Amino acid sequence: MNYFISPTLGVPPVLVTTLRELDFRIMLLQQGERNPIKSKVGLGLDFIRDSWYLFRQRRALQQAGVIVVNSYVALSVLLLHRLGLIRYRKLIYFGFFLHAPRYFPLFRMLFRMLLTEQDMIQVFSQHELMLYQQKLGLKKSRLVYAPLPYQPEKKPVATPLTGRLPKAYFFAGGYTNRDYAALIQAFAHRTEQLVICGSSLNHDLPAGKTYANITVFRDLPRKAFKELVAHAQACLLPVKDDTGAAGQSFVLEAMAFQKVVIATQTHVLTELIDQNQTGFLLADMRIELPLLLRQLQTGEFDLVQMGREAHNKLIRDYSDEAFAHALAQVIRPCLEKQTYQKQ
């Protein structure tokens, strides 16, 4: 029996559909969805709880075929396998990424201890294929790529924010790996309106209103966040570190609403954004963003047409169909009969 193991069903629906078509059994560690934005303590408690659940389910995994596992739960599965408590032919760690470079040494050690020859790691960008070879010491044959899928959104519904937003504004949102301090500095003495939606864990966001043209929200519901994207002039993505994770989901959501994204230039975002065609990539937000805003004021770029191009790129490269095709190419060879791994 082949299994897909995930903390919740909060994963791309096309992933579950594709795996079910390939005869995978779905094993959820918790019904419903979890808040993806948590403190380190909260994440640690989730890890312990999920590891205990897997330990209790170990008999069902004694003769597993291929296991596709989502999120940090992969580390629990790898550990139980190393301890000889579960057995499988092959494991695919789905959607692995690292936000901060300081964790590279830790994961290099963990993977050296836990990975076996048949284990694979799937990533959402071409850049990560080389990055994790260099930083984590992983073999090229262990790493596979499939695009991050995004289902185009329907028209957003009205929320309590409706009618409270500026008539025209730029929007920046998200939690991890964001450099909001640089963004606020770039807008500090300008007339354009900036709306930010972050988390209470974004410590570089001011607690009160510091500038008349900058509005800050924290921990808004999903529908309200979507409304902020849908009605923005353009979306902004200031990134701290050029690592494996760089706000890809935020970019894809903006593209779904035909919005241009102005982002910090990173290797991953270079794959998503075509410079001056579907968006803008800036080396330094503090210096370059005010200059770009002046260009946008004069109409040098057609944001509407660029937004259409961004949407076309989303449909072409990051649709459910593109993802399902890439994932099937990764998994089908793994389903061929193999001998069980030795711990």
Side-chain angles (χ1 to χ4, degrees), residues 121-281:
I121 294 176
Q122 180 268 326
V123 298
F124 288 131
S125 73
Q126 297 286 352
H127 168 63
E128 289 169 290
L129 297 175
M130 182 60 68
L131 177 70
Y132 298 144
Q133 289 179 62
Q134 295 174 346
K135 300 298 184 180
L136 303 181
L138 296 174
K139 296 179 181 179
K140 183 179 180 180
S141 58
R142 286 193 189 279
L143 294 158
V144 293
Y145 165 77
L148 178 63
Y150 192 86
Q151 183 66 39
E153 296 280 3
K154 298 178 181 178
K155 186 177 180 180
V157 298
T159 73
L161 288 179
T162 304
R164 295 173 50 197
L165 299 174
K167 187 174 181 180
Y169 63 91
F170 292 84
F171 175 62
Y175 159 56
T176 50
N177 204 21
R178 301 297 199 269
D179 187 5
Y180 286 128
L183 193 58
I184 290 172
Q185 183 177 333
F187 272 84
H189 303 292
R190 298 198 57 81
T191 58
E192 295 92 347
Q193 293 289 320
L194 170 65
V195 176
I196 300 174
C197 179
S199 163
S200 56
L201 299 176
N202 288 117
H203 301 301
D204 56 350
L205 281 177
K209 194 170 182 67
T210 54
Y211 298 97
N213 65 323
I214 299 176
T215 303
V216 176
F217 296 105
R218 287 180 174 81
D219 304 314
L220 288 177
R222 184 75 186 88
K223 290 181 179 180
F225 188 95
K226 187 187 301 185
E227 182 180 8
L228 289 170
V229 175
H231 297 298
Q233 290 176 274
C235 293
L236 299 159
L237 179 56
V239 176
K240 285 183 179 178
D241 298 307
D242 185 1
T243 56
Q248 296 100 311
S249 295
F250 179 71
V251 174
L252 294 178
E253 182 161 38
M255 294 165 73
F257 284 113
Q258 300 188 25
K259 300 299 177 181
V260 167
V261 176
I262 304 169
T264 306
Q265 185 168 1
T266 69
H267 287 89
V268 171
L269 293 180
T270 300
E271 297 178 25
L272 285 165
I273 299 171
D274 298 330
Q275 182 73 302
N276 296 344
Q277 297 179 35
T278 65
F280 303 95
L281 296 164

Side-chain angles (χ1 to χ4, degrees), residues 24 40 43 64 67 78 108 114 152 157 175 199 210 242 268 283 286 316 342:
F24 276 72
K40 293 181 178 64
L43 291 173
I67 294 179
L78 289 169
R108 187 183 184 98
L114 299 177
V157 298
Y175 159 56
S199 163
T210 54
D242 185 1
V268 171
R286 289 178 173 86
R316 182 181 68 248
K342 295 180 180 180

Side-chain angles (χ1 to χ4, degrees), residues 40-113:
K40 293 181 178 64
V41 173
L43 291 173
L45 291 174
D46 282 346
F47 179 78
I48 293 171
R49 186 185 304 112
D50 293 337
S51 297
W52 173 243
Y53 178 90
L54 283 170
F55 176 77
R56 290 187 296 149
Q57 298 294 318
R58 63 191 184 279
R59 290 185 180 179
L61 300 173
Q62 284 293 332
Q63 299 290 330
V66 177
I67 294 179
V68 177
V69 58
N70 177 51
S71 184
Y72 56 82
V73 177
L75 298 176
S76 299
V77 177
L78 289 169
L79 177 60
L80 292 174
H81 178 253
R82 272 299 188 185
L83 294 174
L85 298 175
I86 64 174
R87 299 178 70 207
Y88 55 74
R89 293 203 310 267
K90 183 178 284 289
L91 177 139
I92 301 174
Y93 188 155
F94 175 80
F96 173 76
F97 60 83
L98 278 179
H99 288 298
R102 65 179 179 273
Y103 293 121
F104 284 146
L106 172 62
F107 275 83
R108 187 183 184 98
M109 178 189 68
L110 288 173
F111 284 154
R112 186 179 299 162
M113 293 169 52

Side-chain angles (χ1 to χ4, degrees), residues 229-339:
V229 175
H231 297 298
Q233 290 176 274
C235 293
L236 299 159
L237 179 56
V239 176
K240 285 183 179 178
D241 298 307
D242 185 1
T243 56
Q248 296 100 311
S249 295
F250 179 71
V251 174
L252 294 178
E253 182 161 38
M255 294 165 73
F257 284 113
Q258 300 188 25
K259 300 299 177 181
V260 167
V261 176
I262 304 169
T264 306
Q265 185 168 1
T266 69
H267 287 89
V268 171
L269 293 180
T270 300
E271 297 178 25
L272 285 165
I273 299 171
D274 298 330
Q275 182 73 302
N276 296 344
Q277 297 179 35
T278 65
F280 303 95
L281 296 164
L282 308 180
D284 190 327
M285 281 270 182
R286 289 178 173 86
I287 297 174
E288 297 178 58
L289 183 55
L291 300 175
L292 177 59
L293 291 174
R294 283 197 286 271
Q295 289 178 296
L296 296 179
Q297 276 187 335
T298 61
E300 187 170 332
F301 296 96
D302 186 344
L303 293 184
V304 174
Q305 180 58 34
M306 290 178 67
R308 294 194 190 103
E309 292 296 329
H311 186 264
N312 291 338
K313 181 180 177 71
L314 171 74
I315 300 303
R316 182 181 68 248
D317 298 339
Y318 299 96
S319 64
D320 283 357
E321 291 76 13
F323 171 79
H325 176 73
L327 185 66
Q329 285 189 316
V330 170
I331 291 180
R332 286 188 188 280
C334 301
L335 298 178
E336 298 174 1
K337 189 172 180 60
Q338 304 171 40
T339 58

